[in-house]
Amino acid sequence: MILHLFALGTIVVLASGYALPTREAERGMHPVYKADAAELRSKRASMPVMTFPSLKVEQYAEYWRSIANQTLEQQLESKMRLNTQLAKNIMLFLGDGMSIPTITAGRVYLGGEEKQFAFEQFPYVGLSKTYCANMQVADSACTATAYLCGVKANYGTVGVTAAVHMKDCFAQSQPEHQVASIAEWAQRQGMATGLITTTSVTHASPAGIYAHIANRNWENDADVQADGADPSVCADIASQLVYGPVGQNLNVILGGGRENFLPEHVRDTSGQLGRRKDGRNLIEEWRRQHTNSAHYVYTRRQLLELSNQTSRVLGLFAPYHMPYHLDSNAEELPTLEEMVQAAMDILERQSGGRGYFLFVEGGRIDHGHHDTLALRAIDETAEFDKSVRWARTHSSVEDTLIVVTSDHSHTMSLAGYSSRKNDIFGINDGQLAADDLPYATLSYANGPGYNSNYLREGGAVKRKNLRAINMKNKDFMFPTAVPLESETHGGDDVAVFASGPYAQLFSGVYEQHFIPHAMAYASCLSESRSMCSDTGISRRIR
């Protein structure tokens, strides 16, 4: 067979139309940077000469060998002895939207590419596949059903099987379509339980703990009615939290969302009107439902000053979502770490030696990404990690399993050939784009950042010069390729980090709905409690 070749620039085109890369094209994929002014990067003299220096100690091979040996020792120490003790306590930390690129960018935010989050030091890491039963790219509702209830569900639905489609009130009300969460499994065994979030406690992720709902947006009865459904048939999420069998038995409920518990004519402490049309004040109803040792709080001080006799706490610190950490009043509102501290204290006391399950969500990582506010999203990730660090250092690795993961990814990426320690929120300092303008290290595949980074001149769309923009402003929307009102989730796998009893179960690649089953196995929630003891777990031969 004779092939006819036609040379076109840096590629060779076969007669069939298939392009073969040439040596010159290959070299263009990986630019070589030199300090010689005569050989500037990409021949674009407007960029400074860059040598990309490394730390002096890193120039010695022994430095890297010592790090490798240290890592090897740590790996051997953590993996040679499998922890098969009973997981008396389980904590699931959920960084909503915490994609792998978010973690990578967060390391640089912490101080450098070589830094690590606390959860990255856990001995076992896996990958979770996040798709919904009916969608390639998931939302926080179907994923909550997966990692909390152990089944894949449809987009927009929580705590129900894939037999329920979004807004199907009748299907939601059928008991056979409702699935129990790991919190319910724990309560059946007498364990204390709690949830914490920086979003509304009625939002999709925390709702997976206690609710069965055909539309994640049905957070109050007005929302149900707005879709033409009957709240008496399909109870809203807030009412399920107060009166549902799981919600009413939670020892700890901390987050935002006051407006979903208050009547539309009643203002909360911030002056915000409630949203309920049924005239019910669910906060007062929660108070009357429980004993004098149960407390409702709405400020940081009230939370931190709870007595050691507290059996239950409902803390609603904002009308809807809690503010971003960068916007929060530290004197008025607790941090995620402080909420975890208070929760662990209550749960430990109330567990009566039976252990506890705690769900913790860093929910506003996701919101930062949706608005292409990368600085906010990554700062929220750093705050989320503080709560993980505190929980791990204040619990026993021998009897407390901690799992850290995300529900889905986002479209943010890190691109280009920037020098080490380059500002992760700045421009790529390695090269200019083909339009002779700098580009951001962080960018999104889609989202609202398109309009703030492009301008139209004479019918042409051009990029703005990022040198003239303060990219360190926490409200700067990072560039996107496709204009959308809200950036979408990504469909790639997310990481799962585990430490404690049976943490080894979380290595490998698996479906997201496997996560609660593995946690339940570690804590004997899926089998008879009589099989568990303080010294280990005796299991049936499968």
Side-chain angles (χ1 to χ4, degrees), residues 94 96 130-135 137-161 164 166 179 202-209 211-218 237 359 361 366 370 407-408 489 512:
L94 191 282
D96 197 312
T130 64
Y131 62 90
C132 300
N134 66 340
M135 297 282 277
V137 177
D139 78 321
S140 294
C142 74
T143 52
T145 309
Y147 63 75
L148 287 170
C149 304
V151 303
K152 292 259 184 181
N154 291 325
Y155 183 94
T157 66
V158 180
V160 292
T161 69
V164 179
M166 196 167 181
V179 290
T202 55
H203 213 231
S205 301
I209 292 285
H212 311 287
I213 203 82
N215 185 350
R216 57 176 289 175
N217 297 321
W218 291 349
I237 298 175
F359 172 73
E361 182 195 24
D366 176 70
H370 276 305
D407 46 357
H408 53 72
H489 297 166
Q512 190 173 47

Side-chain angles (χ1 to χ4, degrees), residues 82-142:
L82 296 181
N83 184 348
T84 57
Q85 297 291 100
L86 167 68
K88 186 177 75 171
N89 309 312
I90 309 173
M91 287 185 267
L92 175 59
F93 284 80
L94 191 282
D96 197 312
M98 188 178 69
S99 61
I100 292 175
T102 301
I103 296 171
T104 304
R107 295 178 194 140
V108 185
Y109 183 56
L110 292 181
E113 294 79 1
E114 72 285 354
K115 298 294 184 181
Q116 278 191 313
F117 287 112
F119 56 78
E120 291 186 278
Q121 298 169 34
F122 286 8
Y124 294 95
V125 183
L127 290 175
S128 163
K129 296 187 285 184
T130 64
Y131 62 90
C132 300
N134 66 340
M135 297 282 277
Q136 216 170 51
V137 177
D139 78 321
S140 294
C142 74

Side-chain angles (χ1 to χ4, degrees), residues 479-522:
T480 66
V482 176
L484 281 179
E485 182 179 352
S486 177
E487 180 262 359
T488 69
H489 297 166
D492 37 311
D493 297 350
V494 296
V496 184
F497 307 86
S499 169
Y502 282 95
Q504 61 271 20
L505 297 178
F506 297 90
S507 59
V509 181
Y510 38 80
E511 300 288 354
Q512 190 173 47
H513 77 280
F514 165 74
I515 293 173
H517 294 287
M519 291 189 294
Y521 185 87

Side-chain angles (χ1 to χ4, degrees), residues 421-480:
K421 310 291 185 180
N422 184 47
D423 184 359
I424 194 65
F425 302 115
I427 63 172
N428 183 300
D429 67 356
Q431 63 181 175
L432 292 175
D435 57 5
D436 285 330
L437 291 173
Y439 61 93
T441 299
L442 301 180
S443 62
Y444 291 83
N446 55 50
Y450 183 92
N451 291 328
S452 61
N453 284 276
Y454 290 83
L455 50 85
R456 291 173 173 81
E457 292 182 351
V461 177
K462 298 182 178 180
R463 294 192 309 123
K464 293 181 180 179
N465 189 342
L466 291 176
R467 293 195 190 95
I469 297 175
N470 178 14
M471 298 173 66
K472 294 184 180 65
N473 186 320
K474 61 186 178 181
D475 293 317
F476 171 68
M477 291 183 173
F478 278 72
T480 66

Side-chain angles (χ1 to χ4, degrees), residues 282-300:
L282 292 183
I283 295 174
E284 289 303 321
E285 292 181 27
W286 181 90
R287 280 172 152 168
R288 291 195 295 269
Q289 188 182 83
H290 299 293
T291 66
N292 292 334
S293 61
H295 299 282
Y296 167 67
V297 298
Y298 54 88
T299 68
R300 175 177 180 267

Side-chain angles (χ1 to χ4, degrees), residues 234-286:
C234 292
D236 62 88
I237 298 175
S239 63
Q240 290 191 49
L241 178 55
V242 175
Y243 287 103
V246 178
Q248 66 182 350
N249 285 312
L250 290 170
N251 298 90
V252 174
I253 305 167
L254 300 176
R258 287 191 297 257
E259 64 181 24
N260 293 311
F261 295 81
L262 296 175
E264 57 186 357
H265 63 275
V266 173
R267 295 185 184 276
D268 70 3
T269 53
S270 69
Q272 176 73 37
L273 285 170
R275 295 180 58 84
R276 304 196 64 83
K277 290 187 175 296
D278 57 11
R280 297 169 64 185
N281 185 326
L282 292 183
I283 295 174
E284 289 303 321
E285 292 181 27
W286 181 90

